[in-house]
Tab-separated table of all heavy atoms in Angstrom:
chain	number	residue	atom	x	y	z
W	74	ASP	N	85.052	102.223	79.005
W	74	ASP	CA	85.143	100.748	79.395
W	74	ASP	C	86.073	99.984	78.394
W	74	ASP	O	86.826	99.192	78.736
W	74	ASP	CB	83.797	100.124	79.515
W	74	ASP	CG	82.973	100.783	80.623
W	74	ASP	OD1	83.606	101.320	81.586
W	74	ASP	OD2	81.770	100.651	80.600
W	75	ILE	N	85.805	100.239	77.103
W	75	ILE	CA	86.509	99.511	76.072
W	75	ILE	C	88.007	100.029	76.106
W	75	ILE	O	88.939	99.197	75.979
W	75	ILE	CB	85.930	99.755	74.667
W	75	ILE	CG1	84.607	98.989	74.638
W	75	ILE	CG2	86.920	99.244	73.563
W	75	ILE	CD1	83.867	99.302	73.342
W	76	SER	N	88.297	101.308	76.398
W	76	SER	CA	89.699	101.728	76.488
W	76	SER	C	90.404	101.109	77.648
W	76	SER	O	91.549	100.787	77.654
W	76	SER	CB	89.732	103.289	76.560
W	76	SER	OG	89.208	103.696	77.785
W	77	ILE	N	89.651	100.943	78.846
W	77	ILE	CA	90.256	100.266	79.975
W	77	ILE	C	90.647	98.825	79.622
W	77	ILE	O	91.722	98.375	79.915
W	77	ILE	CB	89.278	100.284	81.186
W	77	ILE	CG1	89.224	101.783	81.695
W	77	ILE	CG2	89.790	99.397	82.273
W	77	ILE	CD1	88.174	102.003	82.700
W	78	MET	N	89.742	98.103	78.844
W	78	MET	CA	90.022	96.769	78.521
W	78	MET	C	91.208	96.700	77.606
W	78	MET	O	92.095	95.889	77.865
W	78	MET	CB	88.768	96.121	77.809
W	78	MET	CG	88.949	94.702	77.410
W	78	MET	SD	87.804	94.046	76.250
W	78	MET	CE	88.422	94.691	74.723
W	79	ASN	N	91.323	97.551	76.653
W	79	ASN	CA	92.484	97.576	75.728
W	79	ASN	C	93.739	97.935	76.425
W	79	ASN	O	94.818	97.288	76.103
W	79	ASN	CB	92.205	98.505	74.554
W	79	ASN	CG	91.215	97.889	73.576
W	79	ASN	OD1	91.032	96.720	73.457
W	79	ASN	ND2	90.464	98.797	72.877
W	80	THR	N	93.695	98.813	77.349
W	80	THR	CA	94.891	99.229	78.108
W	80	THR	C	95.384	98.016	78.940
W	80	THR	O	96.575	97.785	78.952
W	80	THR	CB	94.596	100.440	79.071
W	80	THR	OG1	94.192	101.459	78.156
W	80	THR	CG2	95.842	100.785	79.874
W	81	THR	N	94.477	97.352	79.641
W	81	THR	CA	94.923	96.227	80.422
W	81	THR	C	95.455	95.094	79.601
W	81	THR	O	96.432	94.364	79.962
W	81	THR	CB	93.767	95.651	81.314
W	81	THR	OG1	92.685	95.332	80.503
W	81	THR	CG2	93.323	96.747	82.308
W	82	THR	N	94.872	94.849	78.450
W	82	THR	CA	95.398	93.816	77.527
W	82	THR	C	96.821	94.178	77.039
W	82	THR	O	97.723	93.319	77.085
W	82	THR	CB	94.439	93.632	76.370
W	82	THR	OG1	93.166	93.289	76.767
W	82	THR	CG2	95.001	92.569	75.419
W	83	ASN	N	96.989	95.403	76.600
W	83	ASN	CA	98.322	95.764	76.083
W	83	ASN	C	99.335	95.848	77.248
W	83	ASN	O	100.507	95.534	77.047
W	83	ASN	CB	98.258	97.125	75.423
W	83	ASN	CG	97.451	97.022	74.141
W	83	ASN	OD1	97.468	95.989	73.483
W	83	ASN	ND2	96.813	98.099	73.726
W	84	MET	N	98.929	96.232	78.452
W	84	MET	CA	99.868	96.260	79.584
W	84	MET	C	100.324	94.928	79.972
W	84	MET	O	101.495	94.710	80.236
W	84	MET	CB	99.097	96.913	80.743
W	84	MET	CG	100.077	97.150	81.922
W	84	MET	SD	99.368	98.101	83.341
W	84	MET	CE	97.662	98.019	83.203
W	85	ALA	N	99.427	93.865	79.844
W	85	ALA	CA	99.851	92.573	80.192
W	85	ALA	C	100.907	92.063	79.167
W	85	ALA	O	101.950	91.375	79.531
W	85	ALA	CB	98.674	91.572	80.115
W	86	SER	N	100.674	92.344	77.880
W	86	SER	CA	101.696	91.919	76.832
W	86	SER	C	103.010	92.601	77.091
W	86	SER	O	104.054	91.994	76.917
W	86	SER	CB	101.078	92.252	75.524
W	86	SER	OG	99.932	91.562	75.165
W	87	THR	N	102.978	93.847	77.449
W	87	THR	CA	104.220	94.596	77.670
W	87	THR	C	104.934	94.060	78.863
W	87	THR	O	106.194	93.859	78.819
W	87	THR	CB	103.896	96.078	77.881
W	87	THR	OG1	103.133	96.632	76.747
W	87	THR	CG2	105.138	96.927	78.126
W	88	LEU	N	104.254	93.737	79.947
W	88	LEU	CA	104.910	93.293	81.139
W	88	LEU	C	105.524	91.922	80.935
W	88	LEU	O	106.657	91.631	81.424
W	88	LEU	CB	103.900	93.220	82.281
W	88	LEU	CG	103.440	94.594	82.829
W	88	LEU	CD1	102.375	94.374	83.914
W	88	LEU	CD2	104.604	95.360	83.369
W	89	VAL	N	104.846	90.960	80.154
W	89	VAL	CA	105.405	89.702	79.914
W	89	VAL	C	106.643	89.837	78.991
W	89	VAL	O	107.695	89.199	79.316
W	89	VAL	CB	104.347	88.824	79.236
W	89	VAL	CG1	105.005	87.464	78.681
W	89	VAL	CG2	103.316	88.414	80.195
W	90	SER	N	106.606	90.727	78.031
W	90	SER	CA	107.835	90.928	77.170
W	90	SER	C	108.962	91.452	77.939
W	90	SER	O	110.102	91.179	77.686
W	90	SER	CB	107.462	91.875	76.029
W	90	SER	OG	106.417	91.358	75.264
W	91	PHE	N	108.651	92.277	78.957
W	91	PHE	CA	109.743	92.795	79.784
W	91	PHE	C	110.309	91.790	80.842
W	91	PHE	O	111.493	91.730	81.016
W	91	PHE	CB	109.217	94.037	80.546
W	91	PHE	CG	110.207	94.676	81.492
W	91	PHE	CD1	111.239	95.395	81.010
W	91	PHE	CD2	110.055	94.496	82.865
W	91	PHE	CE1	112.139	95.975	81.892
W	91	PHE	CE2	110.948	95.069	83.693
W	91	PHE	CZ	111.991	95.798	83.220
W	92	ALA	N	109.375	91.047	81.392
W	92	ALA	CA	109.775	90.131	82.449
W	92	ALA	C	110.346	88.764	81.941
W	92	ALA	O	111.125	88.086	82.636
W	92	ALA	CB	108.609	89.873	83.376
W	93	ALA	N	110.004	88.375	80.700
W	93	ALA	CA	110.400	87.048	80.160
W	93	ALA	C	111.944	86.823	80.186
W	93	ALA	O	112.372	85.829	80.699
W	93	ALA	CB	109.801	86.838	78.805
W	94	PRO	N	112.703	87.740	79.697
W	94	PRO	CA	114.154	87.413	79.627
W	94	PRO	C	114.703	87.289	81.068
W	94	PRO	O	115.599	86.400	81.275
W	94	PRO	CB	114.736	88.664	78.958
W	94	PRO	CG	113.672	89.255	78.157
W	94	PRO	CD	112.405	88.974	78.931
W	95	ALA	N	114.260	88.091	82.013
W	95	ALA	CA	114.841	87.916	83.409
W	95	ALA	C	114.334	86.656	84.024
W	95	ALA	O	115.154	86.009	84.622
W	95	ALA	CB	114.294	89.111	84.184
W	96	LEU	N	113.117	86.245	83.701
W	96	LEU	CA	112.625	84.990	84.312
W	96	LEU	C	113.319	83.798	83.700
W	96	LEU	O	113.646	82.818	84.358
W	96	LEU	CB	111.097	84.920	84.112
W	96	LEU	CG	110.333	83.796	84.845
W	96	LEU	CD1	110.567	83.870	86.319
W	96	LEU	CD2	108.874	83.889	84.445
W	97	ILE	N	113.573	83.834	82.386
W	97	ILE	CA	114.252	82.686	81.734
W	97	ILE	C	115.736	82.687	82.229
W	97	ILE	O	116.234	81.567	82.483
W	97	ILE	CB	114.156	82.926	80.203
W	97	ILE	CG1	112.720	82.701	79.714
W	97	ILE	CG2	115.175	81.954	79.417
W	97	ILE	CD1	112.557	83.100	78.231
W	98	ALA	N	116.403	83.822	82.422
W	98	ALA	CA	117.733	83.776	82.869
W	98	ALA	C	117.770	83.308	84.317
W	98	ALA	O	118.674	82.495	84.703
W	98	ALA	CB	118.337	85.212	82.847
W	99	PHE	N	116.790	83.733	85.171
W	99	PHE	CA	116.725	83.172	86.564
W	99	PHE	C	116.515	81.641	86.574
W	99	PHE	O	117.186	80.976	87.315
W	99	PHE	CB	115.656	83.915	87.337
W	99	PHE	CG	115.422	83.361	88.707
W	99	PHE	CD1	116.332	83.710	89.697
W	99	PHE	CD2	114.327	82.561	88.992
W	99	PHE	CE1	116.181	83.226	91.031
W	99	PHE	CE2	114.206	82.088	90.301
W	99	PHE	CZ	115.136	82.441	91.263
W	100	GLY	N	115.625	81.119	85.726
W	100	GLY	CA	115.444	79.724	85.616
W	100	GLY	C	116.663	78.902	85.161
W	100	GLY	O	116.928	77.843	85.688
W	101	ALA	N	117.401	79.540	84.263
W	101	ALA	CA	118.616	78.842	83.758
W	101	ALA	C	119.666	78.829	84.812
W	101	ALA	O	120.376	77.778	84.998
W	101	ALA	CB	119.079	79.509	82.482
W	102	SER	N	119.806	79.947	85.535
W	102	SER	CA	120.898	79.983	86.576
W	102	SER	C	120.563	79.183	87.761
W	102	SER	O	121.416	78.647	88.485
W	102	SER	CB	121.180	81.455	86.921
W	102	SER	OG	120.071	81.963	87.576
W	103	THR	N	119.263	79.167	88.101
W	103	THR	CA	118.844	78.426	89.373
W	103	THR	C	118.657	76.921	89.173
W	103	THR	O	119.137	76.112	89.931
W	103	THR	CB	117.518	79.022	89.885
W	103	THR	OG1	117.669	80.472	90.011
W	103	THR	CG2	117.128	78.445	91.214
W	104	PHE	N	117.977	76.570	88.102
W	104	PHE	CA	117.640	75.183	87.895
W	104	PHE	C	118.392	74.490	86.735
W	104	PHE	O	118.227	73.317	86.531
W	104	PHE	CB	116.080	75.045	87.537
W	104	PHE	CG	115.213	75.649	88.704
W	104	PHE	CD1	114.595	76.809	88.477
W	104	PHE	CD2	115.185	75.034	89.909
W	104	PHE	CE1	113.752	77.328	89.493
W	104	PHE	CE2	114.326	75.591	90.950
W	104	PHE	CZ	113.683	76.736	90.682
W	105	GLY	N	119.225	75.241	86.072
W	105	GLY	CA	119.971	74.677	84.996
W	105	GLY	C	119.113	74.618	83.715
W	105	GLY	O	117.918	75.072	83.719
W	106	GLY	N	119.655	74.012	82.679
W	106	GLY	CA	118.865	73.925	81.433
W	106	GLY	C	118.825	75.240	80.712
W	106	GLY	O	119.630	76.122	80.933
W	107	ASP	N	117.707	75.402	79.920
W	107	ASP	CA	117.612	76.585	79.184
W	107	ASP	C	116.732	77.663	79.872
W	107	ASP	O	116.646	78.780	79.346
W	107	ASP	CB	117.065	76.277	77.799
W	107	ASP	CG	115.720	75.637	77.833
W	107	ASP	OD1	115.145	75.448	78.865
W	107	ASP	OD2	115.289	75.237	76.720
W	108	GLY	N	116.090	77.335	80.922
W	108	GLY	CA	115.353	78.333	81.673
W	108	GLY	C	113.885	78.404	81.288
W	108	GLY	O	113.042	79.032	81.994
W	109	TYR	N	113.506	77.795	80.196
W	109	TYR	CA	112.117	77.884	79.715
W	109	TYR	C	111.132	77.102	80.572
W	109	TYR	O	109.949	77.351	80.550
W	109	TYR	CB	112.000	77.415	78.211
W	109	TYR	CG	112.502	78.485	77.333
W	109	TYR	CD1	113.836	78.533	76.855
W	109	TYR	CD2	111.588	79.497	76.922
W	109	TYR	CE1	114.246	79.565	76.008
W	109	TYR	CE2	112.068	80.522	76.076
W	109	TYR	CZ	113.345	80.536	75.697
W	109	TYR	OH	113.823	81.539	74.784
W	110	THR	N	111.619	76.007	81.315
W	110	THR	CA	110.745	75.189	82.099
W	110	THR	C	110.102	76.068	83.183
W	110	THR	O	108.868	76.133	83.361
W	110	THR	CB	111.484	74.041	82.820
W	110	THR	OG1	112.064	73.273	81.717
W	110	THR	CG2	110.594	73.225	83.643
W	111	LEU	N	110.895	76.937	83.859
W	111	LEU	CA	110.373	77.789	84.917
W	111	LEU	C	109.483	78.844	84.337
W	111	LEU	O	108.399	79.132	84.821
W	111	LEU	CB	111.524	78.565	85.649
W	111	LEU	CG	111.104	79.595	86.664
W	111	LEU	CD1	110.352	78.935	87.804
W	111	LEU	CD2	112.204	80.343	87.132
W	112	PHE	N	109.858	79.348	83.137
W	112	PHE	CA	109.064	80.421	82.421
W	112	PHE	C	107.681	79.831	82.112
W	112	PHE	O	106.662	80.479	82.421
W	112	PHE	CB	109.783	80.813	81.152
W	112	PHE	CG	109.016	81.817	80.311
W	112	PHE	CD1	108.828	83.077	80.786
W	112	PHE	CD2	108.568	81.434	79.043
W	112	PHE	CE1	108.127	84.011	79.990
W	112	PHE	CE2	107.879	82.340	78.285
W	112	PHE	CZ	107.609	83.643	78.780
W	113	PHE	N	107.596	78.621	81.607
W	113	PHE	CA	106.253	78.144	81.218
W	113	PHE	C	105.458	77.690	82.466
W	113	PHE	O	104.246	77.736	82.481
W	113	PHE	CB	106.385	76.975	80.216
W	113	PHE	CG	106.694	77.445	78.820
W	113	PHE	CD1	107.932	77.194	78.240
W	113	PHE	CD2	105.740	78.170	78.131
W	113	PHE	CE1	108.195	77.704	76.937
W	113	PHE	CE2	105.977	78.624	76.875
W	113	PHE	CZ	107.239	78.396	76.271
């Protein structure tokens, strides 16, 4: 049970680190600005 909890926690951190640049770039190209508004 603890290993499942740790895996899901680490997976979430990994997915956000992977998706953040694409989401920021999409926000900047779609809405202008620096893209962080859409990200947050």
